[in-house]
Amino acid sequence: MTQVRRVVVDTDTGIDDAHTLLYLAGRPDAEIVAITSVFGNCVEEDSTRNIGYVRDLLGLDAPISRGAAAPLAGAPRIAGHVHGKDGLGDLGHDRPMPEVAAENAAETLVRLAAENPGELDLLALGPLTNLAAALRIDPELFTRYRSVVLMGGSGPYAPPGTLLMVDANIDNDPLAAAAVFAAPRNELVMVGVNVTGTTILDERAIGALRASGTPVARFATEILDAYLDFYQNEWGRRIIPLHDPLAAGVLLDPSFATAWQDGPVNVRGDGFLSRARLMRTHDGLPPAFPYEPAPDTRVITAVDAPRFVADFVEVLTR
């Protein structure tokens, strides 16, 4: 019998976040327990509206809590050029503000963990501001979740000459990310751009979604255009990486990950942007500079991208 993972989702609800909620809701081994909003792909208010819209489309009753509208320090940077100003491609969806909990996102994350110790998984899909705020309330918070899986980070240091996609979720609040990677935990899994950038929803897969008559697949493809407009400048093709959905896939089925390393992760800036890195070079050596000790994080370094993409399409067109 398949064990059902009870998942709390923290999300800056843009296009791939919406796809992730669709994917989780379609998997028989997942139950969405609660959803918390954060800024990032869109402003926090739109993130909350988008959560409500997708939740109602799916017929879910998961409660919603509003979270951080800005990072711990500085002003928010919003990715409207990627996801559309409203986060869902600016298609004019009617997105009324849903009923939300009286407590904020950080309080919700702490309460749920205290009420269900060792039973819930926390899936973080945006900047880690809510998680850092929750750690200020309960520094042992991550020891009360069965696992914490986050979409963010850049893996170990890449081979010389290799370029990576921007590590946006970390760069949007590096102080929060540093607090997360330093916190004690049961299991913290980093699904970074080093692997999500290889998990491509290509023309054939997008065509399969478009050809499906299900409301879920129809919505999934409706909101794709803004995302495709952005990523066509990366590869010259109208294809997209499945950033956030891959993190959900690894949470539910760890066998999607085919290689990983366990070790300390630090958040480091280069004067342009910040990344979360496993403190190892591509060949497993420590970096050539001092770094902060931290508890081990499981850093995914390779995935079975074709199998995950096939599963994603099958779930959304079921």
Side-chain angles (χ1 to χ4, degrees):
M1 184 175 180
T2 302
Q3 185 178 26
V4 174
R5 291 263 189 168
R6 302 177 63 215
V7 185
V8 180
V9 183
D10 185 72
T11 174
D12 58 337
T13 326
I15 292 168
D16 62 328
D17 306 71
H19 286 164
T20 305
L21 294 175
L22 302 178
Y23 177 70
L24 286 170
R27 288 274 306 228
D29 53 352
E31 176 192 351
I32 301 175
V33 173
I35 311 172
T36 56
S37 67
V38 68
F39 76 97
N41 292 329
C42 51
V43 299
E44 183 279 327
E45 179 180 330
D46 280 321
S47 177
T48 302
R49 291 178 183 275
N50 294 344
I51 292 170
Y53 184 88
V54 176
R55 183 194 63 176
D56 292 348
L57 173 71
L58 293 166
L60 302 178
D61 59 2
I64 300 170
S65 297
R66 296 187 67 173
L72 296 181
R77 292 190 297 276
I78 305 301
H81 60 295
V82 181
H83 298 265
K85 183 178 179 181
D86 70 358
L88 292 181
D90 293 331
L91 299 178
H93 292 106
D94 182 19
R95 303 168 302 121
M97 180 61 69
E99 182 178 349
V100 297
E103 62 189 2
N104 64 32
E107 293 165 341
T108 294
L109 298 180
V110 170
R111 176 181 58 79
L112 288 173
E115 292 175 351
N116 306 273
E119 297 179 9
L120 304 178
D121 297 285
L122 175 56
L123 178 62
L125 304 177
L128 299 174
T129 316
N130 290 336
L131 277 65
L135 286 168
R136 290 179 173 180
I137 301 171
D138 179 5
E140 300 291 321
L141 176 68
F142 294 167
T143 70
R144 309 188 206 289
Y145 280 95
R146 178 161 63 171
S147 74
V148 180
V149 178
L150 61 92
M151 192 277 116
S154 297
Y157 283 89
T162 301
L163 298 176
L164 290 172
M165 290 181 178
V166 173
D167 192 355
N169 286 342
I170 303 304
D171 190 52
N172 276 345
D173 197 340
L175 290 178
V180 166
F181 288 111
R185 75 290 299 264
N186 282 333
E187 181 180 61
L188 179 61
V189 180
M190 186 171 91
V191 184
V193 295
N194 56 306
V195 288
T196 64
T198 70
T199 309
I200 302 299
L201 194 71
D202 64 12
E203 294 92 345
R204 182 175 179 179
I206 293 170
L209 287 175
R210 290 193 192 281
S212 172
T214 70
V216 164
R218 188 161 52 248
F219 171 69
T221 54
E222 281 176 358
I223 63 176
L224 269 182
D225 279 340
Y227 218 32
L228 292 167
D229 288 346
F230 176 79
Y231 275 107
Q232 68 186 6
N233 298 310
E234 189 77 24
W235 294 298
R237 294 167 58 187
R238 291 181 66 76
I239 57 179
I240 61 165
L242 292 172
H243 291 299
D244 290 341
L246 179 63
V250 169
L251 189 160
L252 297 175
D253 183 355
S255 72
F256 283 131
T258 57
W260 58 86
Q261 296 182 45
D262 296 331
V265 169
N266 281 191
V267 177
R268 299 183 64 90
D270 60 7
F272 296 98
L273 56 84
S274 295
R275 292 184 183 274
R277 297 272 200 182
L278 176 68
M279 291 293 100
R280 297 289 184 270
T281 62
H282 75 282
D283 49 5
L285 298 175
F289 48 79
Y291 59 87
E292 294 295 322
D296 278 359
T297 294
R298 174 147 293 184
V299 177
I300 306 304
T301 56
V303 296
D304 188 343
R307 186 166 73 88
F308 172 70
V309 172
D311 185 65
F312 176 82
V313 172
E314 194 276 329
V315 169
L316 266 63
T317 57
R318 185 177 296 153

